[in-house]
Amino acid sequence: MKIALVIYQFIKERGGVERYAFDLSEQLLDKNYEIHIFTHKFDFIQRKKLYFHYVPAITFWSPLKYWTFAVNVPKAIKKTGIKFDLIHGLTQTLSQDIYRVGGGCHWEYMMHTYPLMQCKVGKIILCLNPRHFSLLLLEKIIFKKNKFYQITCISEQCKREIMHHYDLPSNKIEVIYNGVNITLFTPRNKQRYREIMRKQFSISPDKVLLLFVGSGFKRKGLKHVINALPLITNRKKIKVLVAGKGNTQHYYRLALHKGVEDIISFTGIYKHTQELYAAADIFVFPSEYDAFGTACLEAMASEIPVITSETSGVSEIITNGKDGFILNYPIAAKELAKYIQILLEKKVREKMGKAARQKAEMYSFETNAKNTLRVYRKVLDSIL
């Protein structure tokens, strides 16, 4: 079978959809499929039956970048003269058999990211922004003009958004939860990295380490973590490590205002997150909106109990009170502090951590690839 994977950047270190594209291609190549990557930027990888095709795009202005790539993909595919069995779009484009929605609807993303979206004038201003306007229009064309045979998305929450905004029938959308590399993210990493990482960030062995990983601190809910810390009675036994990209100065000032600046540290972007999970005891992810939240699944695979919100798609696979805790939305600092307090008990968090690992094993990347191949067969049957 010849499969075309379409992704703007094929660079696994970027994380997110880029990492997903790399992992999916590896799984498909292991199953002896012929894989063609159509992309604008890529790290070349030499593997049997793996081919790269450059797709031109105008990149100096983001609205042009999205549109020129979307328009040029069908041209690039046609230019090869290859008859592909399936075209799998992982980035917005105007021609694909399967379109994977990896981040939810752009409108919902805007609603939960920009405070201006809470008023009519603010919505008009943001929707007239060329970047947002182009993404919304491109998304609308794909969904409204049926530029696909099948859509896959990464959570039921994401599926509901698509059905609501674009009036699509349920059978057009398959939910395939994100997968995790259960070999890379494993409790065995604690033996290799825990002591080293704790020394690196000056965390003593007796401290309970709360880990927050995510870029876009507002949407990922960092303020809720900081607001919860003063409500924890024995917070002196806690350290908080924040990894990712965001306005660290703003959140440090918030921590200073709350009197908890001495227990919180910022690492910036950290590529090898499996090392951070090895040092952690509790994973906090009180996101205000996330189509899934793969970092939670990585933490669970690392045998760490997770506290997340019901507005994160990953909450759909968590059993509240067994392998993690699910916060109500709007998120209350008191509720988050209560769950952190419970997990400060070593026996409780170790028990929940083991349950989290068992749950993560059900969502390995092998399982994700298996479910993706099932959709491939479904689409091939409908085409034929």
Side-chain angles (χ1 to χ4, degrees):
M1 187 189 297
K2 295 179 182 178
I3 299 169
L5 295 181
V6 179
I7 177 78
Y8 180 75
Q9 294 185 109
F10 188 82
I11 304 172
K12 68 175 181 177
E13 285 76 16
R14 294 277 302 179
V17 67
E18 291 84 6
R19 178 75 202 199
Y20 177 82
F22 172 81
D23 288 336
L24 179 61
S25 67
E26 289 286 293
Q27 290 288 321
L28 296 174
L29 288 165
D30 288 344
K31 292 173 173 55
N32 207 33
Y33 294 112
E34 184 176 307
I35 305 301
H36 293 252
I37 309 292
F38 286 83
T39 182
H40 182 70
K41 293 181 181 179
F42 61 94
D43 286 337
F44 180 76
I45 299 167
Q46 190 166 5
R47 274 202 66 173
K48 186 180 178 182
K49 292 193 173 185
L50 177 64
Y51 305 93
F52 289 91
H53 305 271
Y54 174 76
V55 179
I58 299 171
T59 59
F60 69 87
W61 193 41
S62 62
L64 277 178
K65 177 181 77 174
Y66 302 127
W67 272 96
T68 53
F69 182 78
V71 169
N72 285 332
V73 165
K75 296 177 183 178
I77 291 174
K78 186 178 180 180
K79 189 178 178 181
T80 65
I82 301 170
K83 182 171 175 54
F84 292 103
D85 295 284
L86 280 170
I87 300 170
H88 190 172
L90 307 177
T91 302
Q92 290 174 325
T93 178
L94 298 180
S95 177
Q96 61 248 305
D97 299 311
I98 300 168
Y99 174 42
R100 177 184 183 265
V101 183
C105 288
H106 191 67
W107 181 267
E108 292 292 334
Y109 167 83
M110 290 170 64
M111 286 294 294
H112 291 87
T113 303
Y114 302 104
L116 270 176
M117 289 292 288
Q118 304 310 311
C119 66
K120 286 185 178 180
V121 175
K123 287 177 182 175
I124 293 169
I125 292 170
L126 278 170
C127 289
L128 290 176
N129 174 287
R131 177 179 178 270
H132 296 304
F133 179 82
S134 64
L135 284 170
L136 288 167
L137 181 59
L138 188 54
E139 185 176 271
K140 184 176 181 179
I141 289 171
I142 291 170
F143 289 133
K144 286 291 189 180
K145 293 188 178 295
N146 291 325
K147 299 292 185 179
F148 57 85
Y149 283 101
Q150 184 71 52
I151 295 167
T152 67
C153 55
I154 57 179
S155 64
E156 292 289 345
Q157 170 183 297
C158 180
K159 180 176 179 176
R160 288 193 298 269
E161 290 172 7
I162 296 169
M163 292 173 65
H164 171 70
H165 287 287
Y166 298 104
D167 197 29
L168 289 174
S170 178
N171 64 350
K172 279 287 186 181
I173 309 169
E174 289 262 5
V175 174
I176 301 178
Y177 291 113
N178 280 351
V180 64
N181 186 332
I182 59 174
T183 304
L184 179 64
F185 298 98
T186 169
R188 290 192 295 273
N189 286 335
K190 293 176 184 178
Q191 299 170 8
R192 297 179 60 189
Y193 303 119
R194 187 175 178 86
E195 187 177 343
I196 296 169
M197 297 304 293
R198 284 185 165 238
K199 282 183 179 178
Q200 180 176 330
F201 295 107
S202 303
I203 301 163
S204 60
D206 61 315
K207 297 290 186 181
V208 176
L209 178 60
L210 275 64
L211 179 64
F212 174 98
V213 176
S215 291
F217 292 161
K218 180 193 177 296
R219 184 167 56 87
K220 305 289 185 181
L222 180 56
K223 76 172 183 180
H224 303 302
V225 177
I226 296 171
N227 287 337
L229 293 177
L231 305 178
I232 299 168
T233 54
N234 46 349
R235 63 179 178 274
K236 290 298 180 183
K237 68 185 291 187
I238 289 174
K239 287 290 286 186
V240 181
L241 200 59
V242 177
K245 185 179 179 182
N247 187 342
T248 55
Q249 290 185 344
H250 169 77
Y251 288 96
Y252 180 78
R253 287 195 297 269
L254 178 60
L256 192 66
H257 175 70
K258 295 289 182 178
V260 294
E261 77 284 355
D262 58 327
I263 63 172
I264 189 166
S265 300
F266 297 85
T267 73
I269 295 173
Y270 199 93
K271 287 185 178 180
H272 306 291
T273 52
Q274 70 273 18
E275 298 173 5
L276 296 180
Y277 296 126
D281 300 296
I282 302 167
F283 189 74
V284 283
F285 192 82
S287 177
E288 295 180 0
Y289 171 77
D290 208 295
F292 188 73
T294 304
C296 293
L297 193 53
E298 293 172 351
M300 293 169 73
S302 304
E303 211 172 77
I304 304 170
V306 166
I307 304 174
T308 190
S309 56
E310 63 183 5
T311 44
S312 298
V314 72
S315 66
E316 296 169 15
I317 69 170
I318 291 174
T319 304
N320 192 34
K322 182 179 179 182
D323 43 44
F325 287 113
I326 302 171
L327 300 161
N328 294 313
Y329 188 83
I331 297 161
K334 189 174 181 180
E335 184 185 15
L336 177 54
K338 179 184 75 172
Y339 290 144
I340 293 172
Q341 196 84 50
I342 292 170
L343 290 172
L344 291 183
E345 292 293 331
K346 187 177 180 180
K347 288 184 178 179
V348 174
R349 68 174 179 269
E350 285 182 348
K351 182 180 179 182
M352 290 187 72
K354 290 184 185 302
R357 170 65 188 187
Q358 290 176 348
K359 179 63 69 66
E361 288 174 353
M362 297 167 59
Y363 295 92
S364 67
F365 206 87
E366 289 77 8
T367 300
N368 177 280
K370 181 181 177 181
N371 289 330
T372 301
L373 284 169
R374 174 178 52 79
V375 173
Y376 282 4
R377 288 190 291 269
K378 174 185 173 181
V379 172
L380 282 170
D381 289 344
S382 68
I383 293 173
L384 298 174

